[in-house]
Amino acid sequence: MKYSSFNQRLPAGNPIANVLVIFVGALAISVSLVLGFLAFVVLATIVAVLGAIVGLRVWWLNRKLARSGRASGQARQDAQGGVIEGEYHVVKRDEKS
């Protein structure tokens, strides 16, 4: 048994039913394409929003770390420059001066 797709007829012998089958099939395909595109747009939007939130959070943390790094860098520069802050008490005076 050899089946050829060229000689097959539409399911119904009635031409009105054939047109109806073609119309419903085209409608189902178009609706599924539109819904698929809509689902893709919704998912892409969710991914873009989440990416923006994560990117904003990373930028914020980098900015915060850079500020704290600059502040501790200035403290290190002061210590290397010989400036020491604090109190002192003279324990013993030198008699010669």
Side-chain angles (χ1 to χ4, degrees), residues 1-66:
M1 287 197 231
K2 186 175 182 182
Y3 292 103
S4 174
S5 62
F6 293 113
N7 293 333
Q8 286 184 354
R9 297 178 57 184
L10 292 173
N14 188 354
I16 296 174
N18 289 340
V19 169
L20 187 62
V21 166
I22 290 172
F23 177 73
V24 170
L27 186 65
I29 289 172
S30 62
V31 166
S32 66
L33 284 175
V34 168
L35 288 178
F37 181 73
L38 185 65
F40 174 74
V41 168
V42 167
L43 287 176
T45 303
I46 290 171
V47 168
V49 167
L50 289 177
I53 290 171
V54 169
L56 185 63
R57 181 68 176 155
V58 167
W59 171 78
W60 185 266
L61 288 175
N62 282 339
R63 184 171 156 243
K64 195 174 183 181
L65 285 174

Side-chain angles (χ1 to χ4, degrees), residues 57-92:
R57 181 68 176 155
V58 167
W59 171 78
W60 185 266
L61 288 175
N62 282 339
R63 184 171 156 243
K64 195 174 183 181
L65 285 174
R67 282 187 177 178
S68 67
R70 273 187 268 148
S72 65
Q74 285 179 345
R76 274 187 255 128
Q77 286 176 354
D78 289 343
Q80 290 174 353
V83 177
I84 300 175
E85 292 185 22
E87 296 181 13
Y88 69 95
H89 298 282
V90 177
V91 177
K92 180 180 174 185

